[in-house]
Amino acid sequence: MSYTPDRQRSDELAKHGVRALSSLVLVGSVTAVMWVLEALDYTTNGWLDRFGIQPRDVDDLPDIFTAPFMHAGFGHLMANTLPFLILGFIAAARGIGKFLVASLIIIVVGGLGVWFLSSANTLGSSILIFGFFGYLVGRGIFERRLLDIGIAVAVVAVYGTMILGVIPGDPGISWQGHLFGLLGGVLASWFLRRN
């Protein structure tokens, strides 16, 4: 079966539309789950906060998979929601499969960095936000495709100042989660690069 250029263009647009919609639904659903979890945490006087990462506690290692979805109050969650939605959507828009693998790499690298180096219970989607930032910038570097380079430049232009979050400072902010989430994102972009 042969396609005309208009039919091929139409099929490509439809494919990109479906991918964008799937990305929006996935990232929006995860965000909604985080809000539901925080509401439940609020009604139980912070009971879910125990699923944050307790440094160097071997029994607590599985919590590296729950910590990025828990928050220390609604203020914390509100501060993370918009960057999570925007950077998560952009990261997912190029393919849900790669996005899920990248997210897993970010969670493991970021969580282990916190587990080894932090001094306090750590939770919050900042690990993923910094990871998505690193992933998008890394894709621009490793893929060397015009679209990826443009996305990386735009992400740095809009969110570049967040890189200051990897510098130790406020004891209530996990620079370890930020730094290792960022490194996890760059590692994911290298691992998932096209040959």
Side-chain angles (χ1 to χ4, degrees):
M1 175 188 267
S2 68
Y3 286 99
T4 64
D6 287 341
R7 176 65 186 261
Q8 287 175 332
R9 205 171 300 123
S10 176
D11 288 349
E12 281 294 312
L13 284 174
K15 185 172 98 175
H16 290 305
V18 167
R19 189 179 289 169
L21 182 60
S22 300
S23 302
L24 186 60
V25 168
L26 175 62
V27 174
S29 298
V30 172
T31 304
V33 167
M34 289 191 292
W35 277 88
V36 168
L37 288 171
E38 191 52 41
L40 181 61
D41 189 51
Y42 178 77
T43 62
T44 58
N45 294 317
W47 185 79
L48 291 177
D49 290 348
R50 67 193 189 106
F51 293 103
I53 302 166
Q54 290 291 338
R56 294 167 299 284
D57 179 353
V58 175
D59 293 335
D60 206 59
L61 269 172
D63 290 347
I64 66 172
F65 298 102
T66 57
F69 306 102
M70 308 294 168
H71 289 82
F74 283 109
H76 186 205
L77 178 55
M78 282 188 276
N80 283 342
T81 295
L82 191 58
F84 181 84
L85 283 169
I86 293 170
L87 294 173
F89 170 75
I90 296 168
R94 293 292 299 279
I96 298 296
K98 281 188 174 184
F99 173 74
L100 294 174
V101 172
S103 296
L104 181 61
I105 292 169
I106 291 164
I107 288 170
V108 170
V109 172
L112 288 175
V114 167
W115 189 83
F116 278 110
L117 297 178
S118 183
S119 58
N121 183 42
T122 302
L123 38 82
S125 58
S126 299
I127 289 172
L128 284 166
I129 293 166
F130 276 77
F132 296 154
F133 178 87
Y135 177 67
L136 293 169
V137 172
R139 249 184 12 199
I141 294 167
F142 300 125
E143 296 279 346
R144 295 189 185 134
R145 295 177 60 217
L146 191 57
L147 178 60
D148 292 313
I149 293 168
I151 290 170
V153 169
V155 164
V156 169
V158 175
Y159 287 105
T161 57
M162 71 185 249
I163 200 77
L164 298 175
V166 303
I167 300 170
D170 185 340
I173 296 175
S174 173
W175 64 269
Q176 300 93 337
H178 296 174
L179 174 62
F180 285 95
L182 178 70
L183 293 175
V186 173
L187 178 65
S189 67
W190 178 82
F191 180 74
L192 295 170
R193 73 195 185 284
R194 296 175 190 206
N195 294 326

